[in-house]
Amino acid sequence: MAKDRLIMAFESSADETSVAIVRNGSEIVSLETATQIKSHQRFGGIVPEVASRHHIEQVTILAQAALEDAQVTYDDLDAVAVTQGPGLVGALLIGVTAAKTIAWAHNLPIVPVIHLAGHISAANFVEPIQYPALALMVSGGHTELVLMREEYDYLVIGDTRDDAAGEAYDKVGRTMGLKYPSGKIIDDMAHQGTDTYNLPRAMLNEDNFDFSFSGIKSAVINLMHNAEQRGETIDLDDLASSFQAAVVEILVGKAQRALEAYPVKSFIVAGGVAANRGLRDALASMMQRFPDTEYIPVPIALAGDNAAMIGAAGDIAYRHGARAGLDLNANPALEFDYLED
């Protein structure tokens, strides 16, 4: 019987400090996460310097708590995985430095992880991803369709031309006077309203897999400003419903087109916006057209940034020989490769 692999993973790319112990890439042994949402709410978004300071305060505390909760020691670990990028450079450096320090002190290999691979790999906590696979990656900073012809092979076939979907949610939420982060609030409001405002579905019918959400965001902002100037009242629940309907229609439409072009065994939806009920329901309905493809929505509890997903991706990278030295540096612009035409 093969020995279990235990990987300690660090995630600090934005406003969540998180440390996990993951067994064999598919079992969360422990997960400790400290959120910073309340610290950033007063600013309406993440302040990089504030985020970095919180990471410094929490990372060693969480590492010790993860070991204690898992009832293991550093001697039981096989490797240390860490988010190398993308993300806020100062925030990333805290996790990278912590991982390198522990790896050096306990003679453990360092496994660098692309943050987006972590989001996708969280599907393995539900069931093993079967390849070839396709992932719809939807978060505050990224909206991509990623083709995986085999394990540890990530190729972008569609990307956003401007705002990511989650970014559009936050900007629209700010215009509507909602608290940051506003994605879940808009999702809840959307279920109370109806799609009454005619908002654009940018690039929906173009012959590609790319996205654009800047136009929808601008349309909402202009609608509200024009109503304010005219003294008219906007029904915010209806506006939320109209905005979400437009975003979901674009995401689902592009995903369906990609699934038709690239038959796969698994289809994954991942990233913070993957927690959106409207999107999850619409994708589940669309997937009835593809009975030979397993639909794997990442669990809502793991849709946001967390170290367990980095452990899952780190296990894959570890098995494929990915290693870094003590000269590992944060890479805030780290991305997947694009599929060549």
Side-chain angles (χ1 to χ4, degrees):
M1 179 179 291
K3 175 184 176 294
D4 286 346
R5 292 178 305 281
L6 280 181
I7 291 180
M8 171 176 267
F10 290 83
E11 158 57 27
S12 65
S13 63
D15 60 345
E16 308 284 351
T17 317
S18 188
V19 184
I21 308 290
V22 173
R23 179 181 287 117
N24 298 331
S26 60
E27 180 187 347
I28 301 171
V29 184
S30 64
L31 174 60
E32 303 290 336
T33 302
T35 184
Q36 305 175 11
I37 287 177
K38 289 185 178 180
S39 294
H40 298 286
Q41 274 182 337
R42 55 185 166 151
F43 303 109
I46 301 173
V47 179
E49 177 64 21
V50 174
S52 298
R53 290 179 180 275
H54 279 300
H55 290 312
I56 292 170
E57 293 169 356
Q58 294 292 335
V59 68
T60 54
I61 297 171
L62 297 179
Q64 186 60 39
L67 288 171
E68 292 175 358
D69 189 39
Q71 298 183 349
V72 299
T73 69
Y74 287 114
D75 292 337
D76 297 311
L77 301 178
D78 292 279
V80 179
V82 61
T83 301
Q84 183 184 9
L88 303 172
V89 63
L92 288 166
L93 280 169
I94 308 307
V96 168
T97 301
K100 290 196 296 184
T101 302
I102 288 171
W104 175 80
H106 300 280
N107 196 29
L108 292 166
I110 306 168
V111 181
V113 173
I114 298 177
H115 179 79
L116 309 181
H119 277 298
I120 295 169
S121 300
N124 282 314
F125 294 125
V126 181
E127 58 183 278
I129 299 172
Q130 301 297 315
Y131 299 91
L134 182 73
L136 175 62
M137 171 67 214
V138 202
S139 70
H142 295 83
T143 300
E144 298 179 348
L145 280 162
V146 182
L147 177 66
M148 295 159 282
R149 296 171 297 191
E150 57 189 6
E151 188 180 66
Y152 203 51
D153 174 44
Y154 307 97
L155 294 169
V156 176
I157 62 171
D159 198 355
T160 182
R161 301 280 182 89
D162 38 61
D163 290 348
E167 184 181 4
Y169 267 91
D170 284 334
K171 289 179 177 178
V172 165
R174 190 179 305 126
T175 302
M176 294 170 65
L178 306 178
K179 286 185 178 180
Y180 169 88
S182 52
K184 185 180 185 307
I185 301 173
I186 292 177
D187 187 20
D188 291 340
M189 292 172 65
H191 284 79
Q192 303 301 317
T194 56
D195 179 8
T196 57
Y197 296 100
N198 185 25
L199 298 179
R201 272 70 166 160
M203 299 184 66
L204 180 60
N205 297 315
E206 290 190 13
D207 189 21
N208 56 52
F209 307 118
D210 289 339
F211 306 90
S212 173
F213 298 104
S214 180
I216 305 172
K217 170 204 68 182
S218 298
V220 171
I221 293 172
N222 290 336
L223 184 70
M224 292 198 65
H225 286 173
N226 289 338
E228 183 179 355
Q229 291 171 353
R230 295 170 182 166
E232 299 172 354
T233 300
I234 293 286
D235 186 308
L236 293 183
D237 287 344
D238 287 350
L239 183 58
S241 181
S242 301
F243 169 72
Q244 178 150 300
V247 171
V248 168
E249 186 175 344
I250 293 171
L251 292 170
V252 174
K254 292 289 185 170
Q256 179 176 325
R257 181 172 293 173
L259 286 165
E260 290 167 349
Y262 297 97
V264 294
K265 295 181 179 178
S266 297
F267 172 66
I268 302 131
V269 58
V273 183
N276 183 284
R277 288 182 294 154
L279 176 60
R280 291 169 84 92
D281 292 346
L283 286 171
S285 178
M286 182 269 289
M287 286 305 296
Q288 295 178 15
R289 300 169 182 250
F290 303 94
D292 296 328
T293 300
E294 191 72 30
Y295 173 46
I296 313 177
V298 168
I300 290 177
L302 297 175
D305 294 347
N306 65 87
M309 71 184 197
I310 302 305
D315 186 82
I316 293 171
Y318 176 82
R319 289 188 283 102
H320 284 264
R323 302 290 187 274
L326 292 176
D327 59 347
L328 177 68
N329 200 358
N331 184 349
L334 189 62
E335 300 283 356
F336 294 139
D337 292 331
Y338 283 75
L339 180 67
E340 297 293 337
D341 292 333

